[in-house]
Amino acid sequence: MTIPSRLSASLTVALVALAPLTALAQQQVQNPAPPPAVRLPVVPQATAPQMPQAPVVSGAAGAGQAAQGQPAGSIRVLPSLPPKVAEEADRLGRGYLARVQPKAPSVDLTLAEGYAARERFLATAMPSRPAQIGWKVMLTARTSQEMFGIREPVAGRIFAGQINETGAGIARDIGARASIEVDLAVTVKDAGIMQATNPIEAAAHIASIAGYLDVPDLLLAAGEPLTAGTLAMINAGVRAGVIGKPVAMQTSPDFVAALSNLTVRTTDGHNGAIVESRTSAILGHPLNAVVWLVGHLKARGESLKPGDVIALGSLSRPLPLKEGQTVRAAYAGLPGNGGFDVQLSVR
């Protein structure tokens, strides 16, 4: 290696390492104004069926049943919530379960209140919830955060059965208001990731990276206001996803730096371009999403585990689910790698 090459590698490491510090500092800034709402576009919709009631166990009764060996996915000890917030979380949970489009919550939720209501929502939306297998990070573009009046992403839980392998078929009516978003995913290698403070440190504890097509469900009826607090309550819209074949993570500065500048070309299955993007759209570097999630979980007393899948953030505008369509995202730009891709079809 020549002297200029060493300097270049050092600069690369420094630039990569500085990126998360800016993002993490920004999220600490208080936002005094009430969070704005983003209105979902109005489109014709069919008459929704009546939402079913789903039993929810909370408080001491839930704790007692859990202690008696009830399945972990069927009983929840839920956080204490204001009655109106609990009622709204149950109502939206029933909408998720029935795949219908409810109206927006009648109460204004802060981001913290949305996270507090998430477990109530999930207990109703997924009464026999399977084991958690990972996390989704959304609103990782600064412009998206500004639209919702926040200075940080939003996280949601991913459960077993919600991630499919590349080439899977996704039902057009899988959700109440589902779409497709081009994403990127990593798999955690070991618990040391909870000490990561920058992309290079995070890479050392990541087993692999892969293309990911997220199929989020924003749930609310057409024209309804959607806030960051509501997004947190509805679990970041997690509904389904398709993951590509994994590529082993490398910890060299060149490899880690290249992750922030991958080109992503999404086509309709016949090489017709839908959208082109770069992975720098995710907080400047996609592994910054991992660093943010580490801090977010630490603050909540939670942690990442080996084998966890993390969906890092959207790289495209939402794409409609069109029956018979195939969507393919191809990622290029890794050193010494021919690229990787992920594909799904809509049935």
Side-chain angles (χ1 to χ4, degrees):
M1 177 182 289
T2 65
I3 296 300
S5 297
R6 289 197 185 99
L7 291 174
S8 176
S10 298
L11 288 173
T12 297
V13 174
L15 290 173
V16 169
L18 284 173
L21 300 179
T22 301
L24 289 173
Q26 288 176 326
Q27 78 179 48
Q28 301 300 322
V29 180
Q30 296 297 319
N31 179 27
V38 175
R39 292 193 176 272
L40 297 174
V42 178
V43 296
Q45 70 181 84
T47 302
Q50 184 176 1
M51 291 187 288
Q53 299 293 321
V56 175
V57 178
S58 62
Q65 291 185 357
Q68 295 173 23
Q70 295 291 337
S74 61
I75 298 296
R76 296 285 179 272
V77 180
L78 304 178
S80 178
L81 298 171
K84 189 61 178 177
V85 174
E87 177 184 320
E88 292 294 86
D90 285 342
R91 182 175 64 83
L92 267 64
R94 294 194 297 270
Y96 181 98
L97 183 63
R99 293 183 295 179
V100 300
Q101 298 178 7
K103 291 184 177 297
S106 59
V107 292
D108 292 329
L109 296 170
T110 66
L111 195 54
E113 290 168 339
Y115 283 128
R118 180 176 61 190
E119 294 311 304
R120 182 86 182 202
F121 167 84
L122 287 171
T124 305
M126 305 176 70
S128 297
R129 191 193 320 176
Q132 183 174 342
I133 60 169
W135 295 88
K136 170 184 173 177
V137 182
M138 72 177 304
L139 300 187
T140 50
R142 182 61 60 202
T143 53
S144 299
Q145 293 173 14
E146 290 173 352
M147 286 175 62
F148 283 89
I150 59 175
R151 296 181 181 273
E152 61 181 302
V154 172
R157 304 182 189 277
I158 301 176
F159 299 99
Q162 291 185 319
I163 295 182
N164 305 276
E165 293 183 356
T166 185
I170 300 294
R172 186 188 60 79
D173 59 352
I174 191 172
R177 200 174 185 87
S179 60
I180 302 170
E181 293 183 2
V182 181
D183 206 313
L184 195 63
V186 295
T187 300
V188 175
K189 180 169 65 176
D190 58 61
I193 198 167
M194 292 304 295
Q195 306 308 315
T197 61
N198 59 59
I200 294 226
E201 291 178 0
H205 305 285
I206 291 172
S208 61
I209 188 165
Y212 190 75
L213 293 174
D214 187 29
V215 184
D217 187 356
L218 296 185
L219 192 63
L220 300 186
E224 289 294 302
L226 182 62
T227 67
T230 300
L231 281 174
M233 182 174 73
I234 65 172
N235 195 38
V238 173
R239 176 67 82 168
V242 174
I243 193 167
K245 294 181 179 179
V247 173
M249 178 62 72
Q250 298 178 26
T251 57
S252 70
D254 286 348
F255 189 94
V256 175
L259 289 177
S260 68
N261 201 35
L262 301 183
T263 58
V264 188
R265 187 171 189 268
T266 306
T267 62
D268 62 4
H270 302 286
N271 292 321
I274 298 177
V275 64
E276 294 188 3
S277 51
R278 288 186 179 273
T279 50
S280 57
I282 302 175
L283 295 177
H285 191 295
L287 296 190
N288 280 337
V290 176
V291 175
W292 174 84
L293 184 61
V294 165
H296 173 77
L297 295 180
K298 279 184 174 181
R300 303 179 63 82
E302 299 188 72
S303 61
L304 294 166
K305 299 179 294 297
D308 276 352
V309 175
I310 308 172
L312 301 178
S314 177
L315 295 169
S316 74
R317 66 181 186 275
L319 307 174
L321 283 163
K322 297 180 180 179
E323 189 171 351
Q325 182 184 36
T326 296
V327 175
R328 177 178 179 268
Y331 305 71
L334 284 180
N337 184 283
F340 55 96
D341 64 10
V342 61
Q343 179 175 301
L344 67 76
S345 60
V346 183
R347 59 177 191 270

